[in-house]
Structures are given as structure tokens and as C-alpha cells.
Amino acid sequence: MFRRLSQSLFESSIKSAYTRRFKEKGAQAEGVFWSSRVSQTARFEQVLADMKAEFGSTSFYIADIGCGYGALFNYIQSKPAWRQIDYSGVDITPDMVSYCKREHNSHKHRFSLGRQPKHPVDFAVFVGTFNLCHTDDYELWEDYILHQLAFSWARVRYGLILNITSLETAKINNHIFYVNPEAFAKKLASRFGAVSASPTQFVPQDTTFIICKEKHERHTTKLRKAQR
Ligand SMILES: C[S@@+](CC[C@H](N)C(=O)[O-])C[C@H]1O[C@@H](n2cnc3c(N)ncnc32)[C@H](O)[C@@H]1O
């Protein structure tokens, strides 16, 4: 109870930080605390390639959790290789979501305020969603992340793709949460399902985790989806 209360306070503080930053820098990589567009794009390429490898094609449906100003949607639309992907974006920061709805007027139904997919999807994607943290309590933040992932886990058919800052020694430094890749992969596996982790290409101190549902579980979710 106390944990959830603390986590919701930290979350409010994070929302305010993203709102301020977005007002200051606008719709560009720096507006969501990325150092450059190059590193943002490298993260996108990694998560898209991992999903394609897992799914076997690019016609899947994703929810981008922590979509920011919709940069992944713009990226998918601009690349013929990814254009088949059916996209929806979710964010907890109201200014981000209103910007996305305004900017993508004819696609505004794709964006919503929240923390989990609005509808069942094949994959939920988290690109840097949990990097910024406003606490010094590592376990508290890790528990928050696992709790947030669980909301989405219930709504995905294939799995979750999570991209997060990492170091040999897990720590929080200067409001950034760094996982130790092996230890974090074990945590994810014990809580959810099979995990594979790989360093995010061209992005130092960053790891991409893919957590997949068992084949029979995918089948049951697919059936449930079909019966609706
Ligand atoms: C580092 S930014 C990345 C934005 C986007 N993924 C990109 O790469 O351009 C993180 C985003 O996640 C959002 N966010 C943070 N915690 C969240 C949560 N629990 N659920 C949904 N969105 C969250 C923030 O509001 C922010 O827009």
C-alpha cells in the first residue's frame, strides 16, 4: 500500500518533468530527454527488428507504451519496410497525448492517455519508458516497472519489448535507472516468460529485452480475441 502510494507520487513528479521538458524543447528527441535523434532511431530499429524476428513478418499490431510525441509512429510511417505495422500509442503525460492527437489528426484514434494497451495487441513496446526515475530506491523503481509491465502483459498476444538503460552494476544515477542485464532478465523471466536480452545496437549503456508468451498461451489469447 505504502509502496504504491510512493510510486504514484514519483510518477506524478515524472509526468511534470516530461511536461516541462516537452514545453521547453518541443517535438524532437531532446523533448523526451534523448541525447539525439540518432540514438532514438537506433532504439526504434532494434525493437522493430526484434519483433519482426519473433513474429516472422511485419504485419503485427503494437501498442507503444510511453509513446511521447509519437516519434515511433512517424518513423514507422516514413519507412516502407515497417509501414505494415498497425500502431497505437499510449502515454501517461497528457500534453504528449494531446500533441499526438493534434499532430496526427486523421490518426487520432490511435493515441490514448494511459499505461497499457487500450485493445489487445500482438506486442507492447517500451522505448525508454522507465529510464527516468525520481527516487533513489532501486527496488521501489524496479517493482514499479514490473507492476507496469504486468498491466500490458495481460493484453498482449506475443510479448513485450522493453528498451532500458543498463550497466554492469545496477544503480540509479542522476535520476536514470540502470539495470544489470543478467539480473534484470532473471527477474523478468521469473515474473513473465521466456526472456532474451541484447545490447541495443549503436546505443551504449542500453539493453533491449524481449519477453515472449508460451505458444499455447498465444493460442488461447488469439482464440479469446477471435471470440469477442
Ligand atoms: C524517454 S520518453 C520516450 C518517448 C518515446 N518512446 C520515444 O522514444 O520518443 C518516455 C515516455 O514515457 C512516458 N511514460 C513514463 N512512464 C510511463 C508509464 N508508466 N506508462 C506510460 N507512459 C509512461 C513519459 O510520459 C514519456 O513520454
Side-chain angles (χ1 to χ4, degrees), residues 53-74:
E54 179 59 34
F55 198 78
S57 82
T58 55
S59 41
F60 45 78
Y61 183 19
I62 67 167
D64 178 18
I65 314 292
C67 64
Y69 61 92
L72 179 57
F73 182 59
N74 294 336

Side-chain angles (χ1 to χ4, degrees), residues 44 64 67-75 87 96 99-100 104 111:
F44 292 164
D64 178 18
C67 64
Y69 61 92
L72 179 57
F73 182 59
N74 294 336
Y75 188 75
Y87 175 98
M96 299 287 184
Y99 173 86
C100 291
H104 303 290
F111 295 95

Side-chain angles (χ1 to χ4, degrees), residues 18-34 69:
Y18 276 113
T19 306
R20 278 196 306 275
R21 180 77 177 186
F22 188 55
K23 281 202 170 105
E24 192 193 330
K25 301 273 180 187
Q28 54 169 332
E30 291 79 0
V32 285
F33 291 110
W34 291 138
Y69 61 92

Side-chain angles (χ1 to χ4, degrees), residues 11 14-15 18 29 32-34 40 43-44 64-72 90-93 96 114-116 126-132 141 144 148:
E11 195 183 273
I14 278 174
K15 272 197 259 184
Y18 276 113
V32 285
F33 291 110
W34 291 138
Q40 182 186 38
R43 288 175 170 96
F44 292 164
D64 178 18
I65 314 292
C67 64
Y69 61 92
L72 179 57
V90 177
D91 205 288
I92 52 167
T93 305
M96 299 287 184
R115 59 185 69 250
Q116 67 208 43
F126 304 79
V127 182
T129 306
F130 305 114
N131 289 3
L132 181 70
W141 197 252
Y144 170 80
Q148 299 300 304

